[in-house]
Amino acid sequence: MGHPARERGSEKTMEQKLEHTIALLARTPATLDALLRDLPEAWTLSNEGGSTWSPCVVVAHLIQGEHQDWLPRARMILDSGETRELVPFEREGHVRYGQGKTLAQLLDEFALLRRDNLDELRELNLTTEDMKRRGRHPSFGSVTLSELLATWAAHDLTHLHQISRIMAYQYREAVGPWTRFLGVMQCAGHSEAA
């Protein structure tokens, strides 16, 4: 059995391994719950200005992904391969999932959906050959099931980072001159639509 890291330039990067992916995905709901539940709304409903997202909207987006993205796309790859194009992700679909719900309700819903989806993912008993199976993404073309599952985990990390950045933004003036030492205050990156 090889080491999970491989050389790429001077950096080491992990190969996607299902048990590692599931280990990370299983922790996201509790991480969000510990960070966000029962915080004042000034933290959870504020954004970075304009049409940017609040932490509450990010949780609704994660719920949308549980419904429409990760497992539905994995099943399509397993069932149809590249014969059918993966359904495009509705970029603003989170509005439907978050409408009229409190943050506590969204956190509870996300935790339940994630648990059920990970149970279903485990029940697929995916093999090494399954991980190599290919689907057809509407923007990228041919993608593997392994790439999709690795992206699921990285997507969680992207949004945990985003929530930290949104929350730090609320104190952008309050920190005064220390802002130059706070990397989270310097980060302006947003993910592109996929």
Side-chain angles (χ1 to χ4, degrees):
M1 185 181 222
H3 192 274
R6 61 183 160 100
E7 291 290 330
R8 188 165 88 185
S10 62
E11 302 171 15
K12 291 187 183 238
T13 176
M14 289 174 50
E15 297 284 337
Q16 193 284 128
K17 287 192 167 203
L18 188 58
E19 63 269 20
H20 295 170
T21 298
I22 290 173
L24 188 135
L25 292 171
R27 285 163 174 74
T28 304
T31 301
L32 288 171
D33 197 82
L35 181 61
L36 300 175
R37 189 176 296 270
D38 298 327
L39 273 179
E41 288 182 350
W43 287 115
T44 61
L45 297 181
S46 297
N47 63 23
E48 296 169 286
S51 61
T52 61
W53 292 359
S54 68
C56 193
V57 171
V58 173
V59 176
H61 169 76
L62 291 169
I63 290 169
Q64 178 193 7
E66 295 301 303
H67 281 291
Q68 295 180 347
D69 197 346
W70 311 111
L71 270 182
R73 285 180 167 187
R75 285 192 294 270
M76 280 188 73
I77 290 171
L78 292 169
D79 294 343
S80 303
E82 292 184 88
T83 63
R84 286 181 52 210
E85 187 172 271
L86 300 175
V87 176
F89 190 73
E90 184 185 350
R91 188 80 170 133
E92 298 299 319
H94 60 271
V95 173
R96 178 173 59 254
Y97 292 100
Q99 202 157 22
K101 296 178 184 170
T102 66
L103 178 59
Q105 290 169 320
L106 292 171
L107 290 167
D108 291 343
E109 183 177 349
F110 177 60
L112 180 62
L113 285 167
R114 177 58 61 86
R115 185 199 69 210
D116 291 349
N117 282 343
L118 291 181
D119 287 348
E120 185 176 336
L121 181 61
R122 288 182 192 97
E123 289 169 9
L124 291 173
N125 294 314
L126 297 171
T127 65
T128 302
E129 288 307 307
D130 289 330
M131 291 298 190
K132 296 176 186 174
R133 304 259 321 256
R134 294 190 165 275
R136 192 163 35 96
H137 188 278
S139 299
F140 310 137
S142 185
V143 295
T144 66
L145 179 58
S146 180
E147 290 168 335
L148 173 73
L149 296 176
T151 301
W152 190 1
H155 180 263
D156 274 19
L157 294 171
T158 294
H159 288 299
L160 289 168
H161 172 263
Q162 179 186 23
I163 287 171
S164 296
R165 189 187 71 231
I166 294 165
M167 293 171 76
Y169 182 83
Q170 307 316 310
Y171 271 4
R172 67 195 175 281
E173 294 172 12
V175 299
W178 279 280
T179 192
R180 70 183 193 156
F181 296 113
L182 301 172
V184 70
M185 298 290 189
Q186 312 309 319
C187 180
H190 291 279
S191 297
E192 292 181 31

